[in-house]
């Protein structure tokens, strides 16, 4: 009460005195005044003017107390480390003379659309790059034309840095939503404030992230949209929209829709008629609806380009790039380099189909067991492996993958995976832009280096499959144990499913 006696009867002086109190005295005074947390009610003169000034004083004190609390909660050390790492990364990219070729292609697509030109006849930059995305992507890129090229490049780089922090945050949230793993200390660190900033400060130096910034790619945006969907609370009305929009921009996220359908059907079969409209199926329907809405809208705006893409361009995978290039870290690229051919054909199908079946089976089984992190990472890895072209910068999914390994796997495996993504080892082999085809003449050792991401992804799926098979179906992590669990969160609902290239790549 002594602090109260020291207050003047003037409302403004009351505010000044309270603002000058130490945090401890301020809290004690707040408790004495019996106000709700963060709201100090001061009894000052009861005239109309006095009451008005009292309200102002109360608002000032409330804002000050809130600001003090929030400032004390800011992880300043993590923020400083992140800013320092990002600054060093920015300097390194400038020193490497990054060209942001893909960003230039996106701008050219937008300019073509605004000028009424033929979107899929367009060629951009000195590399003569074509449009490879659906028409909706070109419409999405139109804001890039509102500023000059230098301003666009700076804004794109800053936007990607923010998206990287968001990806780190969502990756940590994804892994925290699953069952505990081996890395108790790592899991505890991941739950601390500022963990996302520290993670972003480290993974910004991984090769997939470096290449994404180098070309001005949209991989981080696509990945964040998908993870935003898969980490939302159960029953969210927006769960599925992110995946649908990401698929309308770049078709490969559509595999997550297939995963949700399979997981939803599997859950329905085990839960009876009441489960036939379960949250997983609802999320898949929302994703499909969002995709159809923007795709149809794009057709209404760009009828010729839409018709041409969905009837012709979608089947011309050669427009994306050469299959045998070192940058192609999918099964098709590895098979092409292994067979010294530009068209792996049926051999790629023979490798991709079993991997697709295995990966989706692992993802669905993990979903039914309530292990959302494994389900999401397994599905993402499967998509990267079976896609005809998965450039190294598409592997920004390495961020949630590395977080999962750090928490669940033995430290040696997590460190080994981190070294693969940070070492740039796949560029230690001879490679060159078209028309030179050095990748068709690789030695066995060079083939091994140029297949590192693919081998890591395949090994991860195999390890997850073996681990799942080793658990008892009726155990603590079995589907029956999770069937009625309220612990699940996110948009994968209920028991949650869980060296530079010479030419830019779409």
């Amino acid at each position: 009460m002594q602090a109260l006696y020291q207050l003047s009867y003037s409302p403004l002086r009351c505010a000044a005195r309270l603002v000058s109190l130490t945090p401890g005295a301020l809290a004690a005074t707040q408790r004495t005044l019996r106000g709700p947390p963060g709201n100090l009610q001061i009894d000052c003169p009861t005239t109309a003017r006095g009451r008005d000034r009292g309200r102002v004083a109360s608002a000032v004190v409330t804002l000050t107390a809130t600001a003090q609390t929030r400032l004390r909660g800011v992880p300043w050390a993590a923020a400083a480390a992140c800013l320092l790492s990002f600054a060093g990364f920015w300097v390194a990219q400038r020193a490497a003379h990054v060209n942001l070729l893909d960003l230039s292609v996106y701008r050219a697509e937008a300019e073509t659309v605004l000028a009424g030109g033929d979107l899929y006849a367009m060629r951009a930059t000195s590399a003569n790059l074509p449009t490879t995305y659906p028409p909706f992507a070109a419409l999405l890129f139109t804001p890039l034309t509102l500023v000059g090229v230098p301003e666009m490049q700076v804004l794109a780089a800053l936007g990607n840095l923010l998206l990287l922090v968001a990806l780190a945050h969502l990756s940590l949230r994804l892994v925290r939503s699953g069952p505990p793993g081996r890395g108790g200390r790592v899991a505890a660190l991941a739950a601390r404030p500022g963990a996302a900033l520290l993670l972003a400060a480290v993974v910004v130096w991984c090769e997939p992230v470096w290449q994404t910034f180098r070309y001005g790619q949209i991989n981080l945006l696509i990945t964040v949209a998908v993870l935003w969907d898969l980490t939302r609370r159960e029953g969210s009305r927006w769960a599925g929209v992110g995946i649908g929009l990401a698929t309308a921009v770049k078709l490969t996220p559509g595999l997550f829709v297939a995963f949700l359908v399979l997981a939803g059907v599997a859950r329905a079969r085990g839960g009876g008629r009441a489960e036939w409209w379960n949250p997983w199926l609802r999320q898949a329907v929302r994703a499909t609806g969002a995709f159809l809405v923007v795709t149809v809208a794009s057709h209404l705006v760009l009828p010729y380009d839409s018709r041409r893409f969905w009837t012709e361009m979608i089947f011309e995978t050669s427009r994306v790039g050469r299959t045998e290039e070192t940058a192609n870290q999918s099964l098709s690229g590895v098979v092409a380099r292994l067979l010294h051919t530009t068209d792996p054909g049926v051999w790629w199908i023979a490798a991709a189909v079993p991997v697709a079946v295995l990966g989706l089976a692992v993802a669905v089984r993990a979903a039914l067991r309530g292990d959302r992190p494994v389900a999401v990472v397994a599905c993402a890895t499967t998509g990267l492996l079976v896609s005809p072209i998965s450039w190294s910068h598409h592997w920004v999914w390495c961020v949630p993958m590395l977080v999962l390994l750090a928490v669940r796997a033995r430290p040696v495996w997590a460190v080994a995976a981190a070294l693969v993504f940070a070492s740039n080892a796949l560029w230690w082999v001879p490679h060159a832009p078209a028309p030179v085809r050095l990748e068709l003449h690789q030695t066995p050792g060079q083939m091994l280096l140029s297949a590192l991401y693919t081998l890591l992804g395949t090994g991860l799926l195999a390890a997850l499959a073996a681990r799942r098979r080793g658990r008892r179906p009726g155990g603590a992590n079995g589907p029956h144990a999770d069937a009625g669990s309220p612990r699940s969160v996110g948009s994968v609902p209920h028991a949650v499913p869980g060296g530079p290239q010479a030419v830019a790549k779409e």
Side-chain angles (χ1 to χ4, degrees):
M1 294 297 293
Q2 183 178 359
L4 293 178
Y5 294 142
Q6 294 175 350
L7 296 176
S8 167
Y9 284 104
S10 166
L12 295 181
R13 290 186 180 180
C14 289
R17 291 289 181 85
L18 281 174
V19 170
S20 64
L21 290 176
T22 62
L26 185 62
T29 303
Q30 180 174 326
R31 289 193 298 271
T32 303
L33 291 172
R34 297 176 298 176
N39 286 308
L40 293 179
Q41 302 295 330
I42 306 172
D43 291 329
C44 289
T46 58
T47 64
R49 180 174 296 180
R51 286 195 298 270
D52 291 341
R53 290 179 178 178
R55 294 190 188 98
V56 173
S58 179
V60 171
V61 174
T62 300
L63 290 174
T64 304
T66 302
Q68 289 177 344
T69 302
R70 290 184 176 179
L71 286 175
R72 287 196 300 271
V74 172
W76 292 109
C82 185
L83 287 175
L84 183 62
S85 178
F86 282 2
F89 179 81
W90 185 285
V91 172
Q93 288 256 308
R94 303 288 80 75
H97 304 291
V98 294
N99 48 31
L100 282 79
L101 279 183
D102 285 346
L103 184 62
S104 299
V105 175
Y106 301 156
R107 183 186 179 96
E109 292 178 14
E111 292 173 341
T112 301
V113 166
L114 294 175
D118 188 338
L119 185 59
Y120 295 100
M122 180 217 74
R123 292 294 186 273
T125 75
S126 58
N128 201 35
L129 297 176
T131 301
T132 60
Y133 296 158
F136 174 67
L139 295 174
L140 196 66
F141 297 146
T142 51
L144 297 177
T145 63
L146 299 178
V147 296
V149 173
E151 294 81 5
M152 175 191 69
Q153 293 177 341
V154 171
L155 291 174
L158 292 176
N160 268 334
L161 288 174
L162 293 176
L163 286 170
L164 181 61
V165 175
L167 175 58
H169 169 72
L170 292 173
S171 299
L172 292 170
R173 188 164 75 177
L174 172 71
V175 172
R176 287 198 301 265
S177 70
R182 296 173 178 270
R185 181 176 300 178
V186 175
L189 290 174
R192 296 182 60 181
L197 294 174
L198 292 175
L199 177 61
V202 174
V203 298
V204 72
W205 297 97
C206 289
E207 190 272 346
V209 178
W210 174 278
Q211 296 292 351
T212 291
F213 279 84
R214 180 175 188 260
Y215 291 118
Q217 261 283 341
I218 59 170
N219 304 304
L220 291 172
L221 178 62
I222 298 296
T223 308
V224 166
V226 173
L227 271 186
W228 177 79
D229 250 7
L230 297 174
T231 55
R232 292 185 65 78
R233 61 178 177 81
E234 180 180 350
S236 171
R237 296 180 180 180
W238 298 99
V241 174
I243 294 175
L245 295 178
T247 305
V249 174
K250 205 169 188 175
L251 299 179
T252 48
L255 186 66
F256 284 94
V257 180
F259 156 64
L260 289 171
V261 170
L262 292 174
V265 170
R267 174 176 168 178
R269 292 182 62 186
R273 180 175 298 180
E275 288 289 340
W276 273 105
W277 187 232
N278 59 64
W280 293 340
L281 291 177
R282 291 201 298 270
Q283 186 174 356
V285 169
R286 289 194 198 99
T288 304
F291 169 80
L292 291 176
V293 166
V294 296
T295 300
V296 171
S298 302
H299 179 77
L300 296 177
V301 178
L302 302 171
Y304 173 75
D305 293 323
S306 295
R307 183 170 58 254
R308 192 174 180 202
F309 176 82
W310 294 108
T311 59
E312 299 177 36
M313 301 298 109
I314 192 174
F315 303 107
E316 295 185 11
T317 56
S318 60
R319 291 172 59 87
V320 182
R322 295 181 300 155
T323 303
E324 77 278 4
E325 286 192 45
T326 300
N328 184 12
Q329 291 296 299
S330 71
L331 288 169
S332 65
V334 171
V335 173
R337 293 189 290 272
L338 182 64
L339 300 179
H340 305 288
T341 179
T342 60
D343 183 14
V346 67
W347 296 108
W348 163 58
I349 300 297
V353 169
V355 170
V357 172
L358 173 66
L360 287 174
V362 169
V364 171
R365 178 176 291 188
L368 296 176
R369 292 176 180 267
D371 197 345
R372 171 174 49 173
V374 168
V376 173
V377 169
C379 185
T381 304
T382 302
L384 291 167
L385 291 174
V386 303
S387 175
I389 299 287
S390 289
W391 303 126
S392 66
H393 53 69
H394 293 168
W395 284 77
V396 291
W397 280 99
C398 68
V399 178
M401 186 185 300
L402 290 175
V403 175
L404 177 66
L405 289 173
V407 174
R408 300 285 189 88
R410 297 182 185 277
V412 62
W413 296 116
V415 171
L419 289 176
V420 167
F421 288 117
S423 65
N424 285 296
L426 63 95
W427 297 112
W428 298 352
V429 303
H431 57 277
V436 182
R437 297 181 181 271
L438 296 179
E439 288 91 344
L440 295 179
H441 308 286
Q442 289 183 349
T443 64
Q446 292 169 345
M447 289 181 187
L448 181 64
L449 287 176
S450 65
L452 282 178
Y453 292 2
T454 310
L455 293 174
L456 175 61
T458 305
L460 177 62
L461 288 183
L464 292 175
R467 177 173 172 266
R468 296 291 102 189
R469 191 180 301 113
R471 293 190 176 187
R472 291 182 301 130
N477 293 320
H480 300 293
D482 287 334
S485 172
R487 185 173 60 88
S488 60
V489 293
S491 65
V492 183
H494 195 65
V496 206
Q501 300 155 253
V503 180
K505 301 298 187 297
E506 292 280 323

